Amino acid sequence: MKRLSIKARVTIWYTLLVALIALLAAGVLFLSARRMMHNYYYETLTGTAQLALDDIRMEDGELDIDRDLDELPSVRVALFTTDGELIYGRVRFDLPFAEGEMRSATERSGEEWYVLDTRMEFDDAESIWLRCYISADAAANLSAIGMELAALILPALVILAGVGGYFIARRAFRPVTRIARTAESIIDGADLKKRIALEGARDELYRLAKVFDDMLDRLERSFERERRFTSDASHELRTPVAAILAQADFALSDLATPEDRMEALRDIRLRAGQMSTLIGRLLALTRMDAGQMRVELETIDLCDLAEVVAAQIEDGAAERNMTVLRALDGSVWAKCDQTMLTQALLNLAENAVKYGREGGYVRVGVHAQGGEARLVVEDDGPGIAPEAMPHIFERFYQGDSSRQAGGAGLGLSLVRLIARLHGGRVEAESAPGKGSRFVIVLPLEAEQ
């Protein structure tokens, strides 16, 4: 049974169920027929007995019968004394008399009869027994015909139900076959654009196909991100590796002076630092995506965190003659992982220093608004082009200014992922020549 298809199993169980119902129906039909036959015999005997009682009288000790009792339909009549002597009719079997009880009796020839005895009382004479009996074959033929019809019809119904059940099951499971074929066609991942696109009744299988299509959409996007991620990561790592190899080859050549070798070492150190930062961010993003990085939530004052980040970027800002401003709104509390959120805010602040206008400013602010805590980083730099805004949070995405500044295009992706892990979001506003403004929005906690 386990090796059969679902359609075959459903058909078999359906057929067995119909067969069981047919057997139960046959049993009910048989019992009903028996009951109907019993009622028929009893009502026929009692009706005939009543007719006979109306035609039998005792006058002056003489028994007077108005008509021939043998002419009564289907039923035979006999009269006996209380001692069992035959008065009228014929003795077919020996059976003690019993008032008002229908019983069965078998004649010497083997014929079966149903018998009903009635005691007749007279004022001026002895009582007599009226015995009415009817052949058991009187209604048996009709019952036999009914059972024969049932024996022919019920198996035919079971067979018809089995065949019909198979076609119904095949039609019902046709979407499952379609789902399986779609899955088989994309099992190697070569074509993730195929969809089931099931039409028709919106039943459970339709919902299953819809969920399957949604899963394929997510898989396609995931595979596309993976391909793009692999390609971009290879590109970003290839550039510093090539530069390191070139500098190392030059430093090892006879043409390099001691000063050239020192300069090459400094460049190698710079490139290695960039690779380390890139690899660290890649590892962090991978762990967060896989859910392997635990978020240790604690209630902290975001103003203190912003103050720490502002202090960390002051040296870099001073190198570009930029001013670091603070806009801290008293104490603003939120539940967060302090290390993760510090890294996210520091990424935004370092980007503001890196891409901001030389001699301009970077403002780090914290305030509460509408039940939310908002960490703000803004600058007065050249801003971001409108066509680039929809892509700035994509991994490895870089505008021209980003490439010139030597970024890897992972910082904003990391910021967005950290915000989502905290149940928040990141908002970005920018326009060419008007600077940029990034906001990390988190659920606000009550003041401690």
Side-chain angles (χ1 to χ4, degrees):
M1 180 69 78
K2 292 183 178 179
R3 296 183 179 180
L4 296 176
S5 65
I6 296 179
K7 289 186 292 186
R9 279 183 281 175
V10 169
T11 303
I12 291 173
W13 284 112
Y14 180 75
T15 305
L16 290 176
L17 177 61
V18 173
L20 178 60
I21 294 174
L23 288 175
L24 291 176
V28 171
L29 181 63
F30 176 75
L31 293 177
S32 299
R34 290 287 298 267
R35 184 65 180 174
M36 290 175 62
M37 288 176 61
H38 182 276
N39 292 339
Y40 165 77
Y41 289 131
Y42 183 77
E43 290 176 1
T44 301
L45 290 173
T46 54
T48 303
Q50 186 61 48
L51 290 175
L53 290 175
D54 293 339
D55 292 336
I56 300 173
R57 291 184 299 277
M58 184 69 71
E59 294 181 356
D60 300 328
E62 296 280 337
L63 191 63
D64 183 22
I65 303 175
D66 287 347
R67 63 177 174 177
D68 190 357
L69 297 180
D70 290 336
E71 295 179 354
L72 294 175
S74 304
V75 180
R76 302 290 181 266
V77 177
L79 298 175
F80 297 87
T81 65
T82 55
D83 296 331
E85 294 181 5
L86 180 65
I87 301 175
Y88 175 88
R90 178 181 173 186
V91 178
R92 293 181 178 271
F93 36 76
D94 295 328
L95 185 68
F97 296 100
E99 174 73 20
E101 179 183 353
M102 189 178 74
R103 295 167 294 165
S104 62
T106 304
E107 195 176 351
R108 292 185 182 89
S109 62
E111 184 177 2
E112 187 175 357
W113 300 81
Y114 285 97
V115 183
L116 179 67
D117 294 328
T118 305
R119 188 182 181 93
M120 300 181 65
E121 302 286 349
F122 300 102
D123 295 336
D124 53 354
E126 293 184 0
S127 300
I128 63 174
W129 285 102
L130 170 66
R131 170 163 285 178
C132 299
Y133 48 93
I134 184 172
S135 174
D137 296 333
N141 292 333
L142 181 62
S143 176
I145 293 173
M147 295 306 295
E148 289 177 1
L149 288 175
L152 292 175
I153 293 175
L154 292 180
L157 288 176
V158 172
I159 295 173
L160 181 62
V163 175
Y166 173 77
F167 284 104
I168 292 173
R170 188 175 69 171
R171 181 175 179 83
F173 284 98
R174 189 176 299 166
V176 177
T177 304
R178 186 170 175 177
I179 293 172
R181 288 176 179 172
T182 303
E184 290 172 354
S185 66
I186 63 173
I187 196 168
D188 57 353
D191 185 7
L192 291 175
K193 296 187 179 298
K194 291 187 177 180
R195 298 294 181 269
I196 301 170
L198 193 64
E199 299 177 354
R202 302 201 170 189
D203 52 12
E204 293 84 356
L205 292 178
Y206 175 88
R207 291 196 294 271
L208 174 63
K210 182 67 169 58
V211 171
F212 199 90
D213 283 342
D214 292 341
M215 181 188 68
L216 289 177
D217 288 337
R218 291 193 296 270
L219 282 176
E220 183 181 8
R221 291 194 296 268
S222 177
F223 272 81
E224 182 61 30
R225 284 197 301 267
E226 181 182 350
R227 283 193 290 264
R228 189 169 64 247
F229 178 84
T230 303
S231 175
D232 292 340
S234 300
H235 173 76
E236 294 297 333
L237 289 173
R238 187 185 301 115
T239 301
V241 168
I244 289 173
L245 290 174
Q247 291 290 346
D249 290 340
F250 174 71
L252 292 172
S253 69
D254 296 335
L255 299 176
T257 64
E259 290 78 9
D260 293 335
R261 291 188 176 92
M262 290 300 298
E263 183 63 26
L265 285 175
R266 281 191 290 269
D267 189 65
I268 290 173
R269 176 67 178 81
L270 176 62
R271 301 290 183 176
Q274 292 175 353
M275 290 179 61
S276 177
T277 301
L278 175 60
I279 293 172
R281 288 182 175 179
L282 284 173
L283 181 61
L285 284 169
T286 303
R287 287 179 175 176
M288 289 181 187
D289 282 340
Q292 296 176 352
M293 186 171 287
R294 296 181 59 188
V295 181
E296 302 289 346
L297 295 178
E298 56 180 324
T299 303
I300 65 171
D301 186 354
L302 299 181
C303 292
D304 293 339
L305 184 145
E307 181 63 44
V308 171
V309 170
Q312 287 184 342
I313 65 171
E314 284 185 336
D315 290 342
E319 293 178 1
R320 304 194 65 207
N321 296 320
M322 299 177 72
T323 303
V324 178
L325 305 176
R326 296 163 174 80
L328 307 179
D329 189 10
S331 295
V332 179
W333 300 86
K335 276 189 175 181
C336 59
D337 186 305
Q338 186 169 355
T339 302
M340 283 189 182
L341 195 58
T342 300
Q343 181 62 51
L345 190 60
L346 185 60
N347 283 352
L348 294 177
E350 288 178 343
N351 282 351
V353 173
K354 186 183 300 182
Y355 308 136
R357 180 175 61 85
E358 189 168 351
Y361 70 86
V362 174
R363 180 181 290 113
V364 180
V366 178
H367 65 273
Q369 178 181 329
E372 296 176 327
R374 305 174 71 87
L375 294 93
V376 183
V377 176
E378 54 187 335
D379 62 69
D380 59 346
I384 304 172
E387 62 271 15
M389 284 298 294
H391 307 287
I392 58 175
F393 291 104
E394 295 178 5
R395 297 178 186 182
F396 294 107
Y397 179 80
Q398 295 176 327
D400 293 339
S401 60
S402 297
R403 292 190 183 277
Q404 292 171 4
L410 290 175
L412 291 180
S413 298
L414 195 60
V415 171
R416 183 174 64 174
L417 187 53
I418 290 174
R420 288 178 176 176
L421 289 174
H422 286 78
R425 65 185 186 277
V426 180
E427 299 174 353
E429 300 174 6
S430 185
K434 296 184 180 180
S436 302
R437 184 173 188 267
F438 289 86
V439 184
I440 300 177
V441 182
L442 300 175
L444 183 67
E445 287 291 311
E447 186 174 351
Q448 302 298 303

